[in-house]
Amino acid sequence: MVLDIALSVADSWNFFGRKTGHGRVLYFALEDSRERLKNRINVIMDDEDVPDDLFLTCETGHTGNKLYGDIDKCIQEYGIKLVILDVLQKVRPGSDPKKSEYANDYNDIGRLKSIADKHGITILAVTHTKKTKDSNDRLNDISGGVGITGVADTILMISSGSFQDNKENTLYITGRDVSETKLAVIFDNDACRWKYIGTEEELNIKKGKELYESSLVIRTIKMILEENGGQWCGTAGELLEYGNKKLGQAIAKSGQSLSRKINKFDGLLLEDSIMHIKPDKNGGPSGRKHTFMVKENTGGYTEAGVGSDVPVEHGQEAI
């Protein structure tokens, strides 16, 4: 993912559908061999030329403050806009035994942040997550914990198999100047790239629509409306009996269960030009009935069908 980010910035590509600011990139790919990195770039670039504004290295002669000083000079000399350290642990100095783990982490990241702030650029430091997960605070999953996250302006973290039916991964984003966001992403082995699927809200909407389209209850409602001129009023039990008979299988376990399924899809029914008036909570024979009306081309709704106890005014108020 960070290689993709580096290429995107160096060549002015969009990344995950978002526009990037063009600039020179210094990428320390410290867990890769030159051959492995070259092969991966060729796949991502589809054998196009590597951007001139991408500077790559798979090794560094030193670590810690000496390296940070060299990075500082390199930024000034070459006009670097993005520095990527992949991974951070490879360039960190040894821990000071007199300091706590938090203090050591905070000082290391603080040094990098001061360089980024000084030049008004981005330094992206890659680190690992812990094997044990914290269900209460996902930031505690990051190796180094609050010593690292306490300094960084923005945190991006990938959690595997945490979206929907575990097919997608989650890119979790949070920070001082960004709103907390969760993006669904999936890795394309053939393209050697992460692909953006959508936000958590977008995926939930998509899943809801898929459930709506495949729902036996919705299919039953559309069938009974078609047979009754676009209008129908009756109890959940009557709709259940109709659906079971028409489809030859149980569309719900009970009338109560069917009512819950209908209520779940109320918003999507309206998007599908079908208005649903729920049963009256006050009870009574008419209160137990569901009313459905298909929206006409004129923009209004058909009147309730024969035997309906719900006047048109009731429907208009519900709208």
Side-chain angles (χ1 to χ4, degrees):
M1 184 176 288
V2 293
L3 175 58
D4 201 353
I5 291 173
L7 290 166
S8 297
V9 172
D11 208 27
S12 299
W13 296 351
N14 285 350
F15 179 76
F16 283 179
R18 289 158 172 78
K19 184 177 176 59
T20 60
H22 175 262
R24 286 185 168 179
V25 181
L26 175 59
Y27 178 34
F28 291 85
L30 302 177
E31 287 192 321
D32 287 312
S33 65
R34 293 175 63 87
E35 190 65 25
R36 183 184 181 204
L37 186 61
K38 179 182 177 181
N39 291 338
R40 188 180 299 149
I41 290 174
N42 285 338
V43 174
I44 294 176
M45 295 293 298
D46 197 18
D47 293 326
E48 295 290 330
D49 292 337
V50 179
D52 292 333
D53 287 331
L54 178 62
F55 296 77
L56 297 165
T57 181
C58 294
E59 56 189 23
T60 177
H62 38 258
T63 61
N65 290 329
K66 180 67 170 67
L67 174 64
Y68 299 163
D70 287 345
I71 290 174
D72 194 347
K73 294 176 183 177
C74 189
I75 291 169
Q76 297 181 65
E77 183 175 351
Y78 295 100
I80 302 296
K81 295 298 183 183
L82 170 64
V83 178
I84 299 176
L85 298 172
D86 183 11
V87 292
L88 175 65
Q89 191 62 34
K90 287 272 190 177
V91 302
R92 291 182 63 177
S95 299
D96 185 342
K98 297 180 181 179
K99 294 181 179 179
S100 66
E101 181 183 13
Y102 171 84
N104 281 308
D105 291 337
Y106 196 94
N107 288 340
D108 286 350
I109 302 302
R111 177 77 174 95
L112 291 172
K113 177 169 166 50
S114 66
I115 296 173
D117 290 345
K118 172 184 174 183
H119 298 289
I121 69 161
T122 296
I123 296 181
L124 177 57
V126 181
T127 187
H128 295 126
T129 54
K130 301 172 184 175
K131 292 183 178 179
T132 56
K133 302 299 179 183
D134 188 332
S135 58
N136 297 318
D137 187 351
R138 71 191 70 208
L139 293 184
N140 288 335
D141 295 339
I142 297 174
S143 180
V146 292
I148 290 178
T149 59
V151 179
D153 288 323
T154 306
I155 307 294
L156 297 89
M157 182 172 66
I158 295 179
S159 299
S160 60
S162 51
F163 248 102
Q164 301 287 322
D165 300 321
N166 294 333
K167 295 177 182 178
E168 297 88 11
N169 301 278
T170 302
L171 178 61
Y172 173 71
I173 305 170
T174 188
R176 294 188 178 95
D177 302 315
V178 296
S179 57
E180 186 173 303
T181 305
K182 287 195 289 184
L183 305 180
V185 295
I186 191 167
F187 190 72
D188 184 335
N189 286 297
D190 293 331
C192 205
R193 301 179 75 182
W194 286 90
K195 290 189 174 181
Y196 168 67
I197 306 299
T199 64
E200 182 180 35
E201 181 181 5
E202 288 169 346
L203 256 67
N204 287 335
I205 291 172
K206 180 182 177 182
K207 184 176 181 180
K209 288 184 177 180
E210 289 174 350
L211 291 173
Y212 175 84
E213 294 296 337
S214 62
S215 171
L216 296 178
V217 172
I218 298 303
R219 185 178 171 189
T220 299
I221 291 170
K222 291 184 175 182
M223 287 173 62
I224 205 167
L225 284 171
E226 186 177 354
E227 289 184 7
N228 289 272
Q231 53 202 2
W232 184 83
C233 180
T235 66
E238 291 169 343
L239 187 62
L240 179 64
E241 184 179 355
Y242 171 88
N244 291 348
K245 183 177 179 181
K246 277 286 186 178
L247 299 181
Q249 57 182 308
I251 65 171
K253 294 180 179 180
S254 64
Q256 189 176 24
S257 172
L258 181 125
S259 291
R260 287 196 297 269
K261 290 176 182 289
I262 294 172
N263 293 336
K264 178 182 177 181
F265 291 125
D266 259 357
L268 290 173
L269 278 168
L270 201 55
E271 286 183 20
D272 215 1
S273 299
I274 301 172
M275 190 180 76
H276 169 224
I277 301 174
K278 298 179 182 180
D280 192 337
K281 294 181 180 180
N282 294 326
S286 63
R288 293 194 298 269
K289 293 185 178 181
H290 292 265
T291 300
F292 299 94
M293 293 182 283
V294 176
K295 187 175 183 180
E296 296 178 327
N297 295 331
T298 57
Y301 286 87
T302 59
E303 294 184 4
V306 177
S308 170
D309 294 298
V310 182
V312 175
E313 289 77 10
H314 186 175
Q316 290 172 341
E317 289 175 2
I319 296 170

